[in-house]
Amino acid sequence: MKIIKSKDVTFEYIKRDENGEVEGINKALDNINLDVKEGEFISILGANGSGKSTFAKHINSILMPTEGTLWVDGMDTSDEDKILDIRMTAGMVFQNPDNQIIGQVIEEDVAFGPENMGVETAQIRERVDEALKTVGMLDYKKNSPNKLSGGQKQRVSIAGVLAMHPKCIVLDEPTAMLDPAGRKEVIRALRALNDVEKITIILITHYMEETIYSDRIFVMNKGKIAMEGTPREIFTRVEELEEFRLEIPQITRLAYELRKEGMRIPECVLTIKELCDALSR
Amino acid sequence: MNTEATLGQYYQTDSVIHRLDPRVKLVGTLLYMISLFIFNNIFCYAIAAVFLIVVIILCRVPLTHMLKGLRPILILMLFTVIFNIFFTPGEYLWQFGILHISKEGIKTAILILIRLTLLIISASIMTLTTTPNRLTDGLEKLFAPLKLIKVPVHEMAMMMSIALRFIPILMEETDKILKAQTARGAGFDSKKLTTRIKSLIPVIVPLFISAFRRASDLALAMEARCYHGGEGRTKLYPLKYAARDILSYVFMGIYIISLTAVGIINAKISLVNAIADIVSK
Amino acid sequence: MPIITDHLTYVYGAKSKSKKTALDDVSVKIEDGQFIGLIGHTGSGKTTFLQLLAGLIKPFSGTVYLDGEDIFAKDYDMKTLRGKLGIVFQYPEHQLFEETVFKDVCFGPKNLGLDEKEVQLRAYEALKLTGFEDDNFYRSPFELSGGQKRRAAIAGVLAMKPKILILDEPTAGLDPGGKKEILDLVKSLCKNQGITIILVSHSMEDMAEYADRILVMNDAKIVLDGTPTEVFSHYDELKGYGLNVPQVTLAMLQLRECGIPVRTDAITVEQAKKEILRVLR
């Protein structure tokens, strides 16, 4: 079952100068074709301005393609009548943790989605507790969001989406504003969601090390999909990745350099353990 | 960072007053305040004080915490009291130029002091025992009939609750911008008013831009979580009157009746006294 | 222009019960022209330390000497400090406010009371230094891309010609390409202009690559101070502070455990490569 199917999706917007005159047309997305199967963990990598966030907004029907079609669980995202259903199916988490928490108490924030959907009170309670438990924030449910760390805030945001019982969660650079500890927290929570709850994850990021565990990676550049494959397939193409202004994790880089020096090392090394294994042979 | 204004900040604890329906507290506080203005004699104030003391005991907020909240208003209270002592005409006990102390002055000053204290404490009890969210919920429910004449009650309540959520964030931001511009040599302490207003531009412009950016981010996040106005919305904590709420309304009724009774008796006594005065003359 | 902090201590809410020591008796000397890396987990006191150095908050006890002068002395002119020490806050683009980039960059030097010609000359130089194209000088700062905005904001501080430049996570939220541009710029400011740099970062890899000396903060104190190689040899200690060592250092430690007799003091990919080749060839 394809949860997301994108066919020739193009998004153009008109660029205007100071006087409102048309300066040109920008193609933020250029013929995007991709499929995501239910239960997959997908990463979309790309530098700023590569179009990855624009694509994310399409999945949630915040933007609609100017050409081509995008289906979420079989629903056309351009279909105005289906907007709420699409948003319930594909939830979205944004970059800035402060600007997406609506409630002044954590449980009230997590309840916001189900409240909008018209879920009954008793069930909201259940969903809120369950969602907070899944991301490990149940103990904080009566707290104010202002006192939390960045990683905790993002986990609350994820819970807020979870409580809507989506099939798929799209995360638009959820870790860009976090410190390393917070980043780890969020990625760990996402992997658990994917493993245990079987929720489809689409992670948009520019940190390559966060994508090691995904099933497939799409690399975007200038509105196009420039590369596609498993992490192992992608990470071997060091020079291309650098061209796209991405940064190769140090371990992969080290293995790559050693290989260039003529050492016998497998083509792609993702973890320290793999490097140890390769070198102790 | 450490702007600790306790006035009106929610105090987390569990008490019968905390659990009351916010509508009861809103109506109660309003009635109480009105009663203080209508029945302004010492006997009625005594009853009002007793009533308030009972509530203070019931709400389990430490008195010290409550009084700390009064501190910022202390100057205002002092000013009012001094003004009344020195400028109320009547039987002079002491005189110096236009300044004088009269019996009536002292009496009014004392009455005003009591009234202000009662007013402020009663208002702060409401906010101390009710989360801002419950408060807006209460307001929304209370003013719901206005929807019939096309007043956007839900939207106004939502705006209020979002504003409350973002106040601490924007305060922090203001502090940060102030510091950053100070580091760039900006001065905010010029004696000339025009220069002083001008010197605020480097703070106000970024603050506005930030507020707008946050607002648009938040709107997007709300939309992504299926927000589509108040229609068909359910609640995690729907407002429903419980037995204790009905009971509170009854107590309120008793309070108003007894106050009215004392008020009338007091008025009669003073009338009789006045007549007796005239007769004896 | 060395900086010396003498038993510098800062306490939040010193009079209240909830007081918190944010900086505890820090004495450190920073020599001219050094590239200092400051690391520590969120809440370890880094920001407080930087704000004290910049004279933006007043210490509880102890003081800061810049060029042998006590910057918190009563007769010290803060303007002198502003001209000598610049500070770039997190997300500095949030402080831009003028109509054009050029005008915004002029703000700092203008506040120093320089004449118009000198102000413009400095603004021009600063923008050139940060790699701004002339075409962008008169554009509104709000039309620029994220990376450009950040460079404009940094230029605004550089135009004050500081001898010491403090940067609090200047690469937060940027993509790897943008991050490298900023760090290379900072490095060249240190090498070519002789500016002392104090840079906060969460990336141990960047610290290993760029810093001459690293200060590690934990629980309001400086707990480690030395060259990157020295500091990163304290793996267990850093771990205890919620910090890490660069990925390659971690890899070297693991390789050694696997029985490959490498030295474990490599902190960059280049060093690690050399060491592995030395041992295994």
Side-chain angles (χ1 to χ4, degrees):
Chain A
M1 180 66 192
K2 301 271 191 292
I3 180 103
I4 283 156
K5 188 175 167 56
S6 163
K7 191 163 183 298
D8 304 329
V9 167
T10 298
F11 182 75
E12 288 172 333
Y13 63 93
I14 297 166
K15 223 173 125 181
R16 287 175 195 279
D17 65 7
E18 286 158 36
N19 308 321
E21 304 282 327
V22 176
E23 225 175 30
I25 292 176
N26 261 24
K27 261 192 188 173
L29 294 178
D30 189 358
N31 261 307
I32 303 286
N33 284 298
L34 66 83
D35 290 339
V36 178
K37 286 196 278 290
E38 224 177 317
E40 268 190 308
F41 192 127
I42 297 287
S43 296
I44 300 180
L45 269 170
N48 289 350
S50 61
K52 56 189 194 312
S53 290
T54 310
F55 185 68
K57 288 188 181 118
H58 275 75
I59 301 176
N60 205 259
S61 237
I62 292 167
L63 294 176
M64 284 162 207
T66 44
E67 272 169 60
T69 320
L70 183 71
W71 290 275
V72 172
D73 206 17
M75 295 175 280
D76 184 344
T77 57
S78 305
D79 186 350
E80 298 263 356
D81 300 332
K82 289 265 163 53
I83 282 188
L84 288 185
D85 290 315
I86 288 166
R87 289 182 180 157
M88 282 179 220
T89 311
M92 186 139 178
V93 175
F94 298 87
Q95 189 189 81
N96 190 329
D98 278 325
N99 298 358
Q100 57 183 319
I101 295 180
I102 295 130
Q104 297 169 74
V105 179
I106 283 162
E107 60 171 5
E108 284 172 3
D109 180 70
V110 176
F112 184 74
E115 283 178 348
N116 291 330
M117 289 158 64
V119 175
E120 272 170 53
T121 298
Q123 264 198 40
I124 298 181
R125 177 80 266 164
E126 223 171 83
R127 284 182 179 212
V128 167
D129 288 351
E130 184 191 52
L132 281 171
K133 204 174 151 194
T134 312
V135 298
M137 290 295 292
L138 192 58
D139 293 343
Y140 296 83
K141 71 175 180 184
K142 298 275 184 196
N143 290 29
S144 149
N146 291 331
K147 301 246 162 83
L148 299 182
S149 73
Q152 288 174 324
K153 282 182 197 163
Q154 283 303 55
R155 283 192 283 154
V156 169
S157 301
I158 294 171
V161 171
L162 265 186
M164 296 166 71
H165 288 182
K167 286 187 182 167
C168 167
I169 300 182
V170 184
L171 302 104
D172 188 5
E173 296 192 43
T175 58
M177 296 179 82
L178 306 183
D179 62 4
R183 241 184 273 160
K184 263 191 208 147
E185 264 172 61
V186 170
I187 298 298
R188 207 177 301 138
L190 292 182
R191 287 180 63 195
L193 277 184
N194 184 250
D195 279 350
V196 182
E197 314 279 327
K198 305 285 175 231
I199 292 173
T200 313
I201 303 285
I202 299 177
L203 172 66
I204 289 162
T205 180
H206 50 230
Y207 294 111
M208 285 194 64
E209 58 267 30
E210 292 175 356
T211 66
I212 293 179
Y213 302 100
S214 38
D215 296 315
R216 278 190 301 152
I217 297 176
F218 294 92
V219 180
M220 287 190 67
N221 186 43
K222 293 186 180 145
K224 287 195 173 88
I225 290 181
M227 289 176 167
E228 176 187 347
T230 61
R232 227 160 270 282
E233 285 161 9
I234 298 286
F235 279 49
T236 44
R237 295 154 77 176
V238 171
E239 272 139 34
E240 274 173 87
L241 288 166
E242 277 182 342
E243 235 173 79
F244 302 141
R245 287 166 67 98
L246 292 170
E247 190 179 43
I248 289 85
Q250 280 198 330
I251 301 305
T252 311
R253 159 122 262 163
L254 177 60
Y256 170 80
E257 297 280 341
L258 288 171
R259 216 177 117 79
K260 261 203 333 205
E261 292 288 329
M263 290 201 66
R264 302 221 336 248
I265 285 180
E267 213 181 339
C268 180
V269 172
L270 297 182
T271 62
I272 293 178
K273 196 176 167 301
E274 285 172 20
L275 185 71
C276 283
D277 292 348
L279 289 179
S280 37
R281 238 178 277 138
Chain B
M1 197 172 157
N2 271 36
T3 41
E4 275 189 53
T6 41
L7 182 78
Q9 247 177 44
Y10 180 64
Y11 185 89
Q12 169 116 36
T13 183
D14 194 27
S15 81
V16 69
I17 304 289
H18 279 73
R19 268 174 280 148
L20 279 183
D21 191 291
R23 286 170 289 179
V24 175
K25 286 185 258 189
L26 278 165
V27 172
T29 312
L30 194 68
L31 280 180
Y32 187 78
M33 286 177 159
I34 294 171
S35 76
L36 289 178
F37 279 101
I38 295 178
F39 306 106
N40 51 353
N41 63 66
I42 198 80
F43 302 106
C44 289
Y45 282 173
I47 295 178
V50 169
F51 185 78
L52 194 67
I53 287 166
V54 172
V55 175
I56 290 174
I57 292 166
L58 283 177
C59 78
R60 294 170 70 181
V61 176
L63 196 68
T64 48
H65 186 85
M66 230 179 263
L67 293 178
K68 222 165 46 181
L70 285 179
R71 222 184 288 158
I73 312 170
L74 216 61
I75 295 171
L76 187 78
M77 282 169 73
L78 221 66
F79 186 77
T80 327
V81 167
I82 289 171
F83 192 84
N84 271 291
I85 287 182
F86 286 117
F87 293 104
T88 313
E91 198 178 314
Y92 293 165
L93 299 174
W94 176 85
Q95 201 170 3
F96 181 81
I98 54 159
L99 293 177
H100 49 249
I101 298 178
S102 68
K103 233 183 189 169
E104 285 78 6
I106 293 174
K107 215 174 121 190
T108 345
I110 290 172
L111 280 179
I112 281 179
L113 186 68
I114 295 172
R115 186 202 286 168
L116 274 176
T117 312
L118 295 180
L119 269 176
I120 293 162
I121 291 182
S122 65
S124 65
I125 283 179
M126 180 172 72
T127 45
L128 279 166
T129 62
T130 325
T131 62
N133 254 26
R134 300 258 296 157
L135 214 58
T136 39
D137 276 0
L139 283 171
E140 187 182 345
K141 251 317 202 343
L142 271 180
F143 289 111
L146 292 181
K147 273 186 206 161
L148 289 177
I149 52 163
K150 296 255 153 64
V151 179
V153 178
H154 165 78
E155 283 72 13
M156 280 159 80
M158 181 59 89
M159 265 156 56
M160 208 171 116
S161 112
I162 289 174
L164 285 168
R165 150 102 179 91
F166 276 86
I167 284 170
I169 294 178
L170 288 176
M171 296 257 278
E172 214 172 284
E173 186 124 344
T174 313
D175 179 60
K176 223 179 92 183
I177 296 170
L178 262 172
K179 278 184 179 147
Q181 306 296 33
T182 309
R184 287 172 78 189
F188 301 106
D189 42 11
S190 168
K191 290 217 170 63
K192 250 176 77 188
L193 192 67
T194 44
T195 345
R196 201 145 148 196
I197 290 170
K198 235 173 144 185
S199 74
L200 282 178
I201 291 173
V203 177
I204 289 169
V205 172
L207 195 62
F208 263 88
I209 291 167
S210 152
F212 280 124
R213 193 185 51 239
R214 286 181 192 281
S216 89
D217 277 8
L218 192 73
L220 212 65
M222 286 170 74
E223 245 185 83
R225 279 161 80 181
C226 292
Y227 181 70
H228 52 101
E231 218 168 298
R233 258 189 125 232
T234 45
K235 288 260 173 195
L236 174 63
Y237 292 115
L239 294 183
K240 247 195 248 144
Y241 282 128
R244 58 169 172 269
D245 299 313
I246 311 289
L247 208 64
S248 308
Y249 277 128
V250 173
F251 281 133
M252 252 182 262
I254 295 173
Y255 165 74
I256 295 291
I257 291 168
S258 50
L259 211 58
T260 318
V262 172
I264 291 170
I265 292 168
N266 187 55
K268 271 202 179 141
I269 291 173
S270 37
L271 192 68
V272 170
N273 281 347
I275 292 167
D277 261 9
I278 294 166
V279 171
S280 68
K281 267 180 196 165
Chain C
M1 210 170 282
I3 311 171
I4 298 167
T5 74
D6 180 22
H7 300 283
L8 197 58
T9 302
Y10 188 83
V11 182
Y12 277 114
K15 283 176 202 150
S16 73
K17 265 185 223 155
S18 59
K19 73 172 181 186
K20 186 180 170 286
T21 307
L23 201 69
D24 191 3
D25 197 32
V26 169
S27 298
V28 71
K29 183 175 184 189
I30 292 164
E31 300 286 357
D32 285 354
Q34 278 187 332
F35 192 127
I36 308 266
L38 182 61
I39 60 178
H41 68 84
T42 312
S44 58
K46 291 175 303 207
T47 305
T48 308
F49 181 53
L50 298 184
Q51 292 188 356
L52 281 165
L53 290 184
L56 293 170
I57 47 179
K58 290 214 161 27
F60 179 75
S61 64
T63 191
V64 176
Y65 294 98
L66 178 67
D67 247 354
E69 285 182 281
D70 180 349
I71 66 164
F72 295 109
K74 274 217 175 79
D75 53 352
Y76 186 80
D77 184 8
M78 271 294 165
K79 227 172 212 165
T80 325
L81 176 73
R82 304 276 171 247
K84 287 178 181 173
L85 184 144
I87 178 164
V88 176
F89 280 79
Q90 260 180 47
Y91 301 98
E93 60 275 21
H94 292 177
Q95 282 105 54
L96 298 172
F97 68 98
E98 279 285 10
E99 296 151 48
T100 68
V101 173
F102 192 77
K103 263 177 136 177
D104 206 285
V105 175
C106 287
F107 180 67
K110 218 185 254 167
N111 285 330
L112 290 180
L114 302 167
D115 66 70
E116 191 61 27
K117 215 169 153 194
E118 174 71 12
V119 167
Q120 296 204 352
L121 187 71
R122 281 185 173 205
Y124 182 79
E125 278 175 6
L127 281 165
K128 275 285 167 209
L129 214 54
T130 50
F132 247 77
E133 291 135 29
D134 293 24
D135 298 354
N136 288 336
F137 277 26
Y138 297 102
R139 282 177 66 185
S140 156
F142 307 109
E143 291 173 2
L144 305 175
S145 75
Q148 284 174 321
K149 269 189 210 167
R150 184 142 323 167
R151 275 187 284 149
I154 294 176
V157 176
L158 285 179
M160 302 176 77
K161 288 212 170 156
K163 286 274 156 259
I164 299 150
L165 183 64
I166 297 174
L167 303 107
D168 192 356
E169 283 190 72
T171 62
L174 296 180
D175 64 6
K179 187 182 88 174
K180 195 165 178 317
E181 279 170 21
I182 297 287
L183 288 176
D184 285 343
L185 166 68
V186 174
K187 184 87 192 173
S188 87
L189 290 173
C190 184
K191 287 274 130 21
N192 304 334
Q193 315 280 322
I195 299 177
T196 309
I197 301 289
I198 302 172
L199 180 131
V200 174
S201 169
H202 283 300
S203 164
M204 303 304 144
E205 288 77 16
D206 292 345
M207 283 299 178
E209 178 104 28
Y210 290 94
D212 300 326
R213 173 180 169 197
I214 293 180
L215 301 177
V216 182
M217 288 197 69
N218 186 56
D219 206 8
K221 287 191 170 75
I222 289 182
V223 285
L224 282 174
D225 177 358
T227 64
T229 314
E230 280 163 20
V231 166
F232 289 133
S233 66
H234 295 85
Y235 173 67
D236 292 320
E237 222 173 305
L238 287 170
K239 196 111 205 180
Y241 304 140
L243 298 168
N244 221 323
V245 296
Q247 275 182 38
V248 279
T249 314
L250 207 57
M252 297 308 259
L253 286 163
Q254 295 246 334
L255 283 175
R256 209 184 161 82
E257 258 175 48
C258 291
I260 302 168
V262 285
R263 291 201 352 240
T264 57
D265 59 357
I267 55 170
T268 62
V269 173
E270 194 54 31
Q271 290 169 5
K273 181 179 111 183
K274 270 195 192 135
E275 177 62 12
I276 291 174
L277 289 175
R278 184 185 69 82
V279 173
L280 291 182
R281 265 228 178 119

